[in-house]
Amino acid sequence: MRRIVTVVWVAGFTLACGGTESVGVPPRTMADALHAVLESDRTVYTRNVVNRLQNEEQVIKASEHWKDDKALPLPAQMFRMGSEMVAEKNAGFTYALISLWPVNKQNVARTEAEEKGLRFVADNPGQNYYADEELAGKKYFTAVYADKAISAACVACHNAHKDSPRTDFELNEVMGGVVVRIPLDS
Amino acid sequence: MTSLSSLLTITGGAVAVTIAAYLGSALRGERRTLFLPGETSPGHRQIEMRCELCHRESFASADDIQSACVECHGDELREANDSHPRSKFTDPRNAERTALLDATRCATCHAEHVPERTGPMGVTLAGDYCALCHPDIAEERPSHRGASFASCASSGCHNFHDNRALYEDFLVEHAEEPSLLAVARVPERTRIAALGAPLAAGAHDAPAGVAGVERAVVEWSDTTHARAGVNCSDCHVAGEKPWSETVDPGACGRCHDAELRGFERGRHGMRHAADLSPMQPARSVLAMRDDASERSLDCAACHASHAFDVRRAAVEACLGCHEDDHSRAYPGSPHALAWEKSDGSGVSCATCHLPRAANTDGAIQAQHGQNDNLRPNEKMIRSVCMSCHGLAFSIDALADPALIRSNFNGKPRVHVESIDWARRRLTAESESPSHQEEAP
């Protein structure tokens, strides 16, 4: 019930529509929409930029040390850079790429919802995890979406990386999750 | 009695008015330092009399002060690919860590006007602050077991903000390099575009009667400026003024904009950026020559109009003011001896402190923010030292304060284990450094 009442107000939406009443989008709908954009952009980058230029046409490599190596950023790095840029803009939500088996240990699940969410999406293919969270006295709507290995390059890199705690990932397997967090307090 | 009382009243009033007038006048100009709550950190001391640069307004909020920090230091942090950006600490998933260290504000770690707890780079936290968020790092990196958290930022290891210089794969890649590389050269500078056709001495356009014009023209006619078509008026005429004897750095920046931006980000030019009178050695916290104390630092102070000799600017100009141990030891150092050969292999003060590096447009230029690669000094390893020296030697050399004081006259007597640790880990050998074996 609270979720129905507590909505993410879309600033300017009402004025843009010429109406007089405030119109909102439920947090879950908003989170799903945000994730659709995030996932699509990353998939396009992975398939049409990195996989095409590195593996199919062999024009340029992708590298963890992309600046030094004058290479393409890895898809996960591109995703994280976007996440940081959104955070700097105080856009009203945050998102992160996390895993139960992260290469960088800073990207491990940090909250109970993240831990439960990662396990849920790994154990329940095709389903998302939703929860309300309270962190540092603030309430959030938190959604966790499965992050799958969509190309052979994802699997090869994670299985071979010296910092990876798992070396047996397979194509299309869940490697982690995208967590989208929307504040519920005004 | 009445007259005594009146006299005291008048005298007291006069004293109060005088004090009020003095304090009132001190609210403007350089005497505003009277109102400082404590000694300003070395990084801000030059501009401390412009309180509003940081405080924005009376009783400024913490947000106002933070925005002032970002206004001056934001670009530097972005260029450094800041490892701990504010967004890490505003992320709700890191709330527990932010409660331990609220690095959403610069002042949490860089408090101002607290000299009793201000350390290098203006850090006002205890040196082991990494432990607040990474207490279990030894579980991830067994090589770190037993190491003091105060040693995280040792040369060759980690920095809070700028970790571009060194990372594990880079350490391993360069582990085998010799102390002195077979080819030791800094990159060539990219020449900026000429304003016009070369000018001969007779083509100068200085007005008649300008003092010293004959000598200036002789010097100028033999410079890159004359060859690039830069005439007297291109520097000495600015805005509505028909002619100015002095040339503000801003005029130089019309052609040398990258150099001006760098100058204003360093200790030499930060007062210019703050619209204050030019920096003078007397204001410095470093040891300076007494006879240079009143020298004003503009572009010509180092580049010497009108000859604009970059070799002079690279050494003589520096030693004309700086008199610390490192500077005094330069003449006679291996770097200086090679510099005197003039065969391109030498190292001047500018080679290290104003390194040649690519700008965002790819042009190689001397970076005039001479403090940038000293915060901390291992930022110099890749931008400077590795042009001539191997990585392991460079790391150890910059971690040896005595060697730095002697201007690298000798070999490092300090050894940083970062390369050893990285190699052990890569080769899957036991991560058991010496201090781990000694630990209980």
Side-chain angles (χ1 to χ4, degrees), chain A residues 88-168:
Chain A
E88 288 166 9
K89 291 175 179 173
N90 296 321
F93 74 105
T94 60
Y95 66 98
L97 182 60
I98 59 175
S99 175
L100 296 170
W101 316 279
V103 168
N104 181 340
K105 302 301 176 291
Q106 299 306 311
N107 299 319
V108 72
R110 290 207 180 286
T111 71
E112 187 180 346
E114 288 183 350
E115 177 84 23
K116 282 184 180 174
L118 286 176
R119 296 204 180 280
F120 181 86
V121 297
D123 296 339
N124 298 277
Q127 295 188 55
N128 308 320
Y129 177 83
Y130 304 102
D132 287 348
E133 273 189 303
E134 185 167 327
L135 301 170
K138 293 183 180 176
K139 292 174 181 165
Y140 297 90
F141 174 77
T142 298
V144 179
Y145 304 89
D147 189 60
K148 292 184 187 175
I150 60 167
S151 84
C154 308
V155 172
C157 184
H158 275 261
N159 284 348
H161 200 288
K162 64 181 184 302
D163 293 332
S164 177
R166 263 190 69 179
T167 57
D168 59 350

Side-chain angles (χ1 to χ4, degrees), chain A residues 68 106 108 114 162-163, chain B residues 93 97 167-168 382 425:
Chain A
D68 275 357
Q106 299 306 311
V108 72
E114 288 183 350
K162 64 181 184 302
D163 293 332
Chain B
R93 67 190 304 269
R97 289 178 163 187
Y167 51 85
E168 203 171 64
R382 288 183 65 174
R425 187 157 187 274

Side-chain angles (χ1 to χ4, degrees), chain A residues 64-65 67-69 84 87-88 90 94-96 98 103-111 114 135-136 140 162-163 179 181, chain B residues 78-79 81-82 85-88 90-97 133-134 137 140-141 164 167-170 173 382 425-426:
Chain A
E64 181 181 353
H65 310 298
K67 274 193 175 176
D68 275 357
D69 296 344
E84 288 192 3
E88 288 166 9
N90 296 321
T94 60
Y95 66 98
I98 59 175
V103 168
N104 181 340
K105 302 301 176 291
Q106 299 306 311
N107 299 319
V108 72
R110 290 207 180 286
T111 71
E114 288 183 350
L135 301 170
Y140 297 90
K162 64 181 184 302
D163 293 332
V179 55
R181 205 172 254 116
Chain B
R78 274 189 289 277
E79 289 166 15
N81 191 24
D82 188 4
R86 183 173 183 272
S87 57
K88 266 198 170 69
T90 56
D91 191 336
R93 67 190 304 269
N94 290 325
E96 283 186 11
R97 289 178 163 187
C133 295
H134 306 282
I137 188 62
E140 183 185 337
R141 289 284 191 277
R164 289 171 300 174
Y167 51 85
E168 203 171 64
D169 291 343
F170 186 84
E173 183 184 346
R382 288 183 65 174
R425 187 157 187 274
L426 194 76

Side-chain angles (χ1 to χ4, degrees), chain B residues 295-305 312-313 317-318 321:
Chain B
R295 192 171 293 168
S296 291
L297 286 186
D298 55 14
C299 303
C302 299
H303 288 277
S305 55
R312 179 198 175 279
C318 313
C321 294

Side-chain angles (χ1 to χ4, degrees), chain B residues 240-257:
Chain B
E240 300 295 315
K241 292 178 70 176
W243 182 265
S244 173
E245 289 289 318
T246 57
V247 175
D248 184 81
C252 306
R254 292 201 290 263
C255 292
H256 302 280
D257 57 334

